[in-house]
Amino acid sequence: MLYGGAAAEPAPLVARIIEKKAADFNGRNRVVPRGAMHATRGNERNSVLRNVRGLAVVEEGKSTDDQWQQGADYRDGTLTTRTRQERAMPIDVDKLLSYPIPTVRQRLSRQDAAFYALSVGMGQDPADPRQLPYVDFTKEMTVLPSMALVLAHPGFWLGDPRSGVDPTQVVHGEQALTLHHALPVDTDLVSETTIEEVVDKGVGQAALLYTRKTLKDADSGLLIASTLNTTFIRGGGGFGGTGAQPKASLTMPEGEPDYVVDLPTRPEQALYYRLNGDHNPLHADPEVAAKAGFARPILHGLCTLGMVCHALVRSLCDYRASHLREMSLRFAAPVYPGETLRCEIWRDGSFRAWVVERDVLVIAQGRCIAGTAG
């Protein structure tokens, strides 16, 4: 699994060409004024970008959603849709449904919470005191909500042959997170992961696996957070299961975003983030990254999600983490450490993210609910 697991092949690279925008620097982050934005990007269902000798080429007539559902491959710098014969390896659904996904217990320490926040880029502005509660473990702490995704994680269990899945065809497609209560430090947490649904798209097509993780206080049983993971298994269809359609794509608001926040990634950020538990060499070893078709190791998808979570907490919640109650998104393309992540956010909770240097869409279909409960 590219985002959040260990497998050999990357997720599909989907994007569209956008016009570069002028930006002002406010001393803390680059913010594009609302008046400088134009409603030219629109919905992500426009085109698929492939890289040919470093040049961006748009494949007309294909939407990013269609490409994501078909199954794509990114090798030798070029985005290609693999043939049905290459992809076809139906999952063993009986093995999958009977696999004993481990229950995991983990203590959330102050140091762990601070390290996670630092690993997703918080604390880079020493003049912003609002970030200190997330990174200073000597004081009263606030935990970034996205940390729920890595806490008490069951690991890449789809890599076990007993799961009935070919791990080289696994792509982390979408992620959703619901916070029922603020993440508590100095507390033991326990997770349970269950398979919610397996969708069969047909012979030679994909299988979609929906898994839900609940995170509870190990002592009281209080539900802290729940996550929904959409895993895309290329060529895994044809096992005789339900042909239910995947969730409908969301339409982004018309007009310019209300907030645009640029967050820089550090060149060594993937090396820090992998200490949260994702040891996939694709994010550290240049040789492994090259074999996968990348110029260098790429950032973890869940690290990119954590940075987007930071942008949401900053823009919509004024750094009050308890006000971010839900977020969901689709992974569209990887980020290289050292690049700048531009987060575009609307007041209704819609959001998406781009890599500034390459004008590549990396997070699509973003939605969040922010505000006080009730």
Side-chain angles (χ1 to χ4, degrees):
M1 181 181 292
L2 176 61
Y3 297 128
E9 296 190 12
L13 176 63
V14 290
R16 61 183 294 259
I17 298 176
I18 60 172
E19 179 184 0
K20 291 184 179 291
K21 305 296 179 181
D24 290 336
F25 187 74
N26 69 358
R28 292 184 180 178
N29 62 284
R30 295 175 62 83
V31 178
V32 180
R34 291 190 61 195
M37 300 295 295
H38 303 282
T40 57
R41 290 178 176 173
N43 196 317
E44 282 88 20
R45 296 180 58 87
N46 290 316
S47 58
V48 174
L49 180 145
R50 60 188 176 93
N51 192 339
V52 180
R53 296 183 180 177
L55 301 178
V57 180
V58 176
E59 295 184 11
E60 300 294 343
K62 289 185 179 180
S63 71
T64 59
D65 292 336
D66 292 338
Q67 188 78 11
W68 185 84
Q69 291 177 17
Q70 286 177 6
D73 203 2
Y74 185 75
R75 301 182 181 186
D76 302 323
T78 303
L79 177 70
T80 59
T81 301
R82 303 178 70 191
T83 67
R84 292 187 180 183
Q85 289 76 15
E86 288 179 306
R87 298 195 313 269
M89 185 177 292
I91 63 175
D92 187 327
V93 71
D94 292 330
K95 286 185 177 180
L96 178 60
L97 294 176
S98 63
Y99 186 86
I101 305 174
T103 297
V104 182
R105 183 179 180 125
Q106 178 183 350
R107 186 167 185 81
L108 174 53
S109 70
R110 293 171 174 269
Q111 289 87 345
D112 288 341
F115 178 81
Y116 174 80
L118 291 168
S119 74
V120 296
M122 295 195 78
Q124 292 194 42
D125 183 2
D128 188 353
R130 298 174 299 172
Q131 298 184 37
L132 281 178
Y134 295 88
V135 298
D136 188 351
F137 59 86
T138 66
K139 300 179 179 178
E140 183 175 355
M141 289 204 70
T142 300
V143 183
L144 195 65
S146 55
M147 190 178 184
L149 295 169
V150 301
L151 286 170
H153 195 275
F156 185 48
W157 56 273
L158 288 173
D160 188 332
R162 295 178 300 162
S163 70
V165 172
D166 178 0
T168 67
Q169 301 305 307
V170 171
V171 173
H172 191 169
E174 297 177 325
Q175 185 68 63
L177 167 65
T178 300
L179 276 301
H180 306 282
H181 295 278
L183 291 168
V185 294
D186 299 325
T187 302
D188 287 338
L189 302 172
V190 63
S191 72
E192 292 185 359
T193 302
T194 57
I195 295 176
E196 195 164 85
E197 185 179 11
V198 184
V199 176
D200 188 347
K201 298 291 291 179
V203 176
Q205 300 298 319
L208 298 181
L209 171 64
Y210 297 94
T211 54
R212 183 174 297 277
K213 184 185 83 171
T214 58
L215 189 67
K216 298 180 179 181
D217 185 307
D219 296 323
S220 68
L222 180 68
L223 179 62
I224 303 296
S226 55
T227 71
L228 180 63
N229 183 320
T230 303
T231 301
F232 182 81
I233 306 170
R234 294 176 294 188
F239 57 87
T242 174
Q245 293 298 312
K247 299 176 182 179
S249 297
L250 301 172
T251 301
M252 299 300 293
E254 296 183 0
E256 60 214 40
D258 297 296
Y259 307 95
V260 180
V261 180
D262 283 6
L263 297 174
T265 66
R266 298 177 62 87
E268 74 280 12
Q269 190 161 335
L271 300 177
Y272 290 131
Y273 186 85
R274 72 196 307 253
L275 297 177
N276 289 304
D278 185 345
H279 304 148
N280 188 342
L282 180 64
H283 308 295
D285 190 329
E287 183 177 351
V288 173
K291 289 180 179 179
F294 295 101
R296 59 186 185 275
I298 62 175
L299 199 63
H300 303 69
L302 287 182
C303 183
T304 302
L305 183 151
M307 296 186 67
V308 172
C309 182
H310 175 194
L312 295 173
V313 168
R314 176 175 187 158
S315 299
L316 300 178
C317 306
D318 193 27
Y319 280 101
R320 291 170 290 187
S322 61
H323 287 194
L324 184 64
R325 294 152 53 194
E326 296 182 19
M327 67 178 295
S328 62
L329 53 79
R330 174 175 294 176
F331 297 108
V335 177
Y336 288 108
E339 294 183 324
T340 304
L341 189 67
R342 172 163 295 168
C343 304
E344 300 179 341
I345 304 167
W346 284 260
R347 288 195 179 94
D348 70 352
S350 303
F351 63 89
R352 62 190 173 198
W354 308 76
V355 164
V356 172
E357 292 82 357
R358 292 182 287 124
D359 282 346
V360 171
L361 178 72
V362 293
I363 295 295
Q365 303 284 305
R367 288 291 187 276
C368 76
I369 297 177
T372 57

